Amino acid sequence: ESKERKDQRLKKKDRLKPKKKEKKDPSARKGREVPQHPSCLFFQYNTQLGPPYHILVDTNFINFSIKAKLHLVQSMMGCLYSKCIPCITDCVMAEIEKLGQKYRVALRITKDPRFERLPCTYKGTYADDCLVKRVTQHKCYIVATVDRDLKRRIRIEKIPGVPIIYISNYRYNIEQMPDDYGTPRF
């Protein structure tokens, strides 16, 4: 009995001891690092994004559009309800040319005069890197892709204000587009 009481008293003493607070030096205080976003992004809206929309098109987006029998420009206009200018970088063009004869229809579509050709300053021929770099530098683009890895890269690198067009149920859909720009709500 006495041993139990002793243990209980020791436990109470441990509980009653106030914990010593460490005094913090205000000069050694660390600030919180917040990533800087461009001034064109006001709250959640990208003010550089507006009709006519410039859409960066990925290789697989063109191929899946052909498989789904979707006309690229008309379907984009149907999705966004405004004029769209599909843009193709040199890397994407090179990627389509490397695919060979099987994808000659895609190559013919990309040579359409309605498509804007963008010279590529990026060293290398990997199209995904080129698209991500261009989107981080200029926030005036919408990215059209079906590639999950590219979507993930745009989301993980937290590039704010960049919507993505993708294909589902044989039509184009857009994600993360502010209501201010007159996009359809479903």
Side-chain angles (χ1 to χ4, degrees), residues 162-181:
V162 178
I164 296 175
I165 290 182
Y166 59 95
I167 300 171
S168 68
N169 298 329
Y170 296 96
R171 59 183 293 209
Y172 292 166
N173 290 320
I174 189 159
E175 66 179 38
Q176 193 187 347
M177 187 77 166
D179 296 332
D180 281 8
Y181 300 117

Side-chain angles (χ1 to χ4, degrees), residues 47-59:
T47 56
Q48 288 182 345
L49 201 60
Y53 296 109
H54 293 271
I55 300 169
L56 278 176
V57 183
D58 191 23
T59 309

Side-chain angles (χ1 to χ4, degrees), residues 18-143:
K19 294 181 180 177
K20 293 180 183 177
K21 292 183 180 178
E22 294 178 20
K23 292 182 181 177
K24 294 180 181 178
D25 184 22
S27 62
R29 198 171 123 201
K30 291 183 181 177
R32 203 174 78 181
E33 288 186 29
V34 178
Q36 292 294 316
H37 297 300
S39 61
C40 68
L41 298 174
F42 185 70
F43 295 121
Q44 64 188 15
Y45 302 116
N46 185 352
T47 56
Q48 288 182 345
L49 201 60
Y53 296 109
H54 293 271
I55 300 169
L56 278 176
V57 183
D58 191 23
T59 309
N60 55 21
F61 187 81
I62 296 168
N63 294 334
F64 275 87
S65 295
I66 293 167
K67 285 179 186 173
K69 296 182 180 175
L70 293 168
H71 188 275
L72 252 107
V73 180
Q74 288 176 357
S75 299
M76 284 177 187
M77 288 171 69
C79 177
L80 295 170
Y81 293 135
S82 76
K83 186 178 180 192
C84 301
I85 302 168
C87 303
I88 294 200
T89 61
D90 290 341
C91 289
V92 171
M93 201 66 166
E95 208 173 66
I96 292 171
E97 287 169 358
K98 282 180 189 173
L99 292 173
Q101 269 312 99
K102 191 176 178 185
Y103 295 96
R104 65 183 177 274
V105 177
L107 188 63
R108 194 177 311 139
I109 287 171
T110 56
K111 291 186 177 177
D112 189 326
R114 291 178 287 185
F115 281 59
E116 187 179 316
R117 281 291 295 271
L118 301 172
C120 205
T121 56
Y122 175 74
K123 291 181 181 175
T125 56
Y126 189 55
D128 290 0
D129 291 339
C130 181
L131 293 175
V132 168
K133 188 173 182 185
R134 189 171 285 274
V135 163
T136 50
Q137 286 174 347
H138 312 286
K139 301 280 192 262
C140 62
Y141 294 110
I142 297 173
V143 179

